[in-house]
Amino acid sequence: MAEVFKNYINGKWVDAKSGKTFENRNPANWDDLIGVFPKSGPEDVEEAVKAAKKAFESWRLVPPPKRADIVKKAADLLVQRKEEIAREMTREMGKILLETRGDVQEGIDTGYYAAGEGRRLFSYTTTSELPNKFAMAIRLPVGVAGVITPWNFPMAIPTWKIFPALVAGNTVVFKPASDTPKTATTLVQILEEAGVPEGVVNLVHGGGNEVGMAIVKHPDVNLISFTGSTAVGKVISREASDTLKRVSLEMGGKNAQIVLEDANLELALDGVLWGAFGTSGQRCTATSRLILHEAIYDQFIEMLVERVKKLKVGNGLDESTEMGPIINEAQLNKIHQYVEIGKQEGAKLLIGGHRLTGGEYDKGWFYAPTIFVDVHPKMRIAQEEIFGPVLCVIKVKSFEEAIEVLNDSSYGLSSSVYTRDVNKAFKAIRDIQAGITYINAPTIGAETHLPFGGVKQTGNGHREGGWTVFDFFTEIKTVYIDYSDRLQRAQIDTYKE
C-alpha cells in the first residue's frame, strides 16, 4: 500500500474536502510510488486562509526573537535530518545527492540567517525639523502570505520564503509544486515539531489552477511570494492586482557565461559543466548560453565535448551519477521540441539531442546532455527558456560584442564572465543587465545571506535572500512623537531659538 499524505490546516493533518488524490512517482523510476497526496481545491484554500487570518492576530504579537527561536529550532532539525531529507528529495525530483544535500543545507543556512534577523529587523530613527519632536520608521508584519514554490529546489526555495515570513510576523498558506509534495510535507512537519502554533503555517497540496489561483485571488491573502515561470508569474501579477496585493515574482532566466581569450579555460570548463548540466539544466540560474571569444572558440569546444561525453547520467541516488533525470514527461517533451527547433533554425547539434533509452533509462525521464554550436543570438533556442540540459554556444569577436549578446535577452537573472583582466571584469559588472554577476564562477551558486533576483522579465523588482527579503515581508510604519505640548506644523512653522 502506498503511503497517504494530507494537507496541514489549522494545526491538523486533513484530507482534501473533495476526497480526490494524486500520485507522486520517482522520475528516475516510474515504478517507485512515493505517495498519494490530496488533490485540493478552492474550498481547502478557504479553510487554510481562514486559519491563517485568525492565527495572525496572536502571532503578530509574539516578540520577533521568540518567533525566530522557532525558525532556529526548525533549522536545527534540518541539520539532524539532512541526509534523510536529501535522499528523499533525490527520490522525489531526481537531482543527484550532491545537489540535494546542498538544497537542504541552503534551507539550514536560510533558517539560521532568518533567526538572527529576529534580533535585528532594523528600522530607522532620524531627526525632526521641529523641536521636541521624535521621528522614526518601524517594521510591522503584513498579514497572510501566500507562498507558491517550484519543484527544482523543494526545500531551499520554500525556506527562502517561509522562514523570513514567519520571523517578520506573518502567517503562511503554502502551495508547493505537485511534483515535490513529499519534501514540502517534511518541511511543514519540521515546523510543527519546532513549535509553530496552529494556523500559522498551512499546507495545501494541489494544482496551480485550483489551489494556486485560489490563494492569489483570495481577498484575505495580503501578499504573494511566487517562484516559477514568467508566463505563470504574469498571470499571478494580473490576478493579484484586483485586490492590490503585494507580489514578489521570481521567474525565468536565459543565463549566459562569457569566456574571454585570457580566461583560465580549465576553470571556465568546470564552470559551464556545472552551470549547464547541474540539476539537468532545470534551474532558473542554469547556464543555457555559452559566449566564447573567437580566439579560444575551437579549443574550448573540443575540451567541452570531451568532458560532456564522459558525464554519467542516471539515478541520482547512485553517488557516481553526475546528472539525474528530467522531472516529468511533459518537461522532457518540451526539451526535445526545443532541440528540434534548434535544428530547424540551422544550429549545429554537436552532441546529445535525444532521450536516453535502454536499461534503467527505460523507466525514467532521462535526456542526453546536449550542445548546439553555430548558434545565432536571435535564434529561439538562444532566446527562450528551455529548462533542460541544452547548451547554446555563440561565437563573438570582442568583449564588447560578448556583453551585447549577453544583454540581448528578455531575461536578466544570472550572468558569468571568465577573464583575468580586472578592467574588463569591472566593466562587465557595470554593463551586464542581470540581478547577479559572477566573475570567474558559473551562473549558479547563490549564497543565502545575499539578495537573489533579476531584472527584465525575470522578476518584478523584489529580492529574496539576505536582508532585502524582509523589506517584502514587512510593512513600514512612520511614527512621529511630539512632546512640545503645542501644535507644530511641518514645513510651515520654522524653528526659532
Side-chain angles (χ1 to χ4, degrees):
M1 287 289 292
E3 190 172 359
V4 177
F5 296 87
K6 299 185 178 186
N7 292 329
Y8 185 72
I9 298 174
N10 202 28
K12 297 178 177 62
W13 294 96
V14 296
D15 295 320
K17 286 186 175 294
S18 67
K20 295 179 180 178
T21 59
F22 67 93
E23 292 183 345
N24 179 28
R25 291 183 179 270
N26 183 342
N29 179 5
W30 311 322
D31 292 341
D32 181 14
L33 177 59
I34 293 164
V36 175
F37 292 82
K39 191 174 184 180
S40 309
E43 63 276 12
D44 302 292
V45 172
E46 183 65 36
E47 292 299 311
V49 174
K50 186 187 301 182
K53 183 180 179 182
K54 180 181 178 182
F56 176 68
E57 291 307 313
S58 56
W59 181 245
R60 69 185 179 88
L61 300 177
V62 175
K66 297 302 180 184
R67 298 193 297 248
D69 286 346
I70 294 174
V71 169
K72 180 185 179 298
K73 186 173 180 182
D76 290 339
L77 292 169
L78 287 173
V79 171
Q80 294 170 23
R81 297 178 58 184
K82 179 177 176 178
E83 185 64 18
E84 168 206 335
I85 296 169
R87 289 183 173 277
E88 172 187 282
M89 192 189 306
T90 293
R91 182 178 165 222
E92 182 170 47
M93 56 76 63
K95 66 184 177 184
I96 64 175
L97 281 170
L98 180 73
E99 296 183 60
T100 54
R101 288 169 183 142
D103 196 313
V104 181
Q105 187 62 47
E106 195 162 348
I108 294 165
D109 295 345
T110 299
Y112 288 146
Y113 183 91
E117 283 297 308
R119 291 190 177 272
R120 289 161 47 96
L121 285 180
F122 291 153
S123 302
Y124 288 91
T125 59
T126 186
T127 58
S128 170
E129 67 183 62
L130 296 167
N132 298 317
K133 188 176 181 181
F134 180 79
M136 65 180 174
I138 61 173
R139 292 183 184 271
L140 295 173
V142 181
V144 177
V147 170
I148 303 172
T149 60
W151 48 263
N152 57 343
F153 284 84
M155 183 60 74
I157 292 178
T159 60
W160 284 5
K161 302 173 187 294
I162 293 173
F163 286 171
L166 294 178
V167 170
N170 304 287
T171 55
V172 172
V173 178
F174 173 30
K175 191 214 94 64
S178 296
D179 285 303
T180 49
K182 180 62 171 69
T183 305
T185 298
T186 299
L187 173 59
V188 173
Q189 288 170 340
I190 283 172
L191 284 165
E192 182 185 38
E193 184 179 346
V196 168
E198 65 181 34
V200 171
V201 174
N202 302 272
L203 170 67
V204 185
H205 294 291
N209 291 332
E210 299 81 14
V211 176
M213 280 300 119
I215 294 172
V216 170
K217 294 179 180 180
H218 202 291
D220 291 332
V221 174
N222 304 96
L223 68 168
I224 298 291
S225 181
F226 167 80
T227 297
S229 72
T230 296
V232 174
K234 288 179 177 179
V235 174
I236 288 173
S237 182
R238 287 194 296 268
E239 295 293 343
S241 67
D242 286 344
T243 47
L244 297 178
K245 286 180 174 58
R246 183 181 299 186
V247 178
S248 173
L249 303 173
E250 186 54 52
M251 302 179 288
K254 194 66 181 175
N255 314 290
Q257 174 178 313
I258 294 172
V259 183
L260 297 177
E261 68 273 26
D262 66 334
N264 179 333
L265 297 189
E266 289 292 344
L267 180 64
L269 179 60
D270 288 339
V272 74
L273 287 166
W274 179 231
F277 303 115
T279 322
S280 305
Q282 300 171 114
R283 294 180 182 225
C284 56
T285 55
T287 307
S288 55
R289 295 181 295 159
L290 176 62
I291 301 169
L292 298 178
H293 191 281
E294 61 180 4
I296 51 92
Y297 184 88
D298 291 338
Q299 179 186 358
F300 197 85
I301 291 296
E302 183 179 345
M303 294 166 62
L304 177 61
V305 170
E306 284 303 308
R307 286 283 296 275
V308 171
K309 284 178 180 177
K310 298 174 182 177
L311 285 177
K312 181 180 178 181
V313 181
N315 192 319
L317 290 171
D318 179 346
E319 295 275 8
S320 66
T321 297
E322 296 172 285
M323 192 181 98
I326 305 304
I327 186 64
N328 55 40
E329 184 178 19
Q331 184 60 28
L332 184 141
N333 290 338
K334 176 187 174 184
I335 292 164
H336 191 65
Q337 286 169 5
Y338 270 106
V339 169
E340 293 301 313
I341 288 168
K343 291 191 287 187
Q344 292 164 13
E345 289 181 310
K348 181 181 178 182
L349 180 62
L350 208 58
I351 190 171
H354 59 87
R355 180 177 177 177
L356 294 172
T357 57
E360 70 171 345
Y361 294 145
D362 288 340
K363 289 190 176 183
W365 310 115
F366 294 95
Y367 204 84
T370 299
I371 300 173
F372 278 105
V373 295
D374 298 339
V375 176
H376 188 278
K378 293 294 186 183
M379 288 179 177
R380 286 183 62 188
I381 58 170
Q383 289 289 326
E384 299 175 17
E385 186 176 40
I386 299 172
F387 222 65
V390 179
L391 179 65
C392 301
V393 187
I394 301 169
K395 183 192 294 187
V396 294
K397 296 180 179 179
S398 66
F399 166 74
E400 291 74 19
E401 185 184 1
I403 299 296
E404 182 181 349
V405 169
L406 186 150
N407 285 338
D408 184 15
S409 171
S410 59
Y411 299 105
L413 180 51
S414 190
S415 57
S416 166
V417 180
Y418 282 79
T419 180
R420 291 186 173 99
D421 188 329
V422 67
N423 295 334
K424 288 178 179 176
F426 273 91
K427 287 178 181 177
I429 293 167
R430 179 193 66 194
D431 295 339
I432 286 174
Q433 297 165 7
I436 305 168
T437 295
Y438 295 90
I439 303 298
N440 295 322
T443 59
I444 61 179
E447 299 181 34
T448 60
H449 59 291
L450 288 165
F452 181 93
V455 300
K456 304 187 203 179
Q457 293 194 39
T458 287
N460 65 338
H462 295 289
R463 290 292 185 270
E464 303 204 270
W467 62 95
T468 49
V469 71
F470 289 91
D471 293 335
F472 177 73
F473 283 115
T474 56
E475 200 71 75
I476 300 297
K477 175 177 278 190
T478 302
V479 179
Y480 299 100
I481 303 170
D482 192 318
Y483 53 98
S484 67
D485 210 27
R486 62 188 177 88
L487 173 66
Q488 297 193 96
R489 297 165 296 180
Q491 294 90 44
I492 295 174
D493 297 327
T494 56
Y495 175 69
K496 296 178 182 178
E497 293 187 8

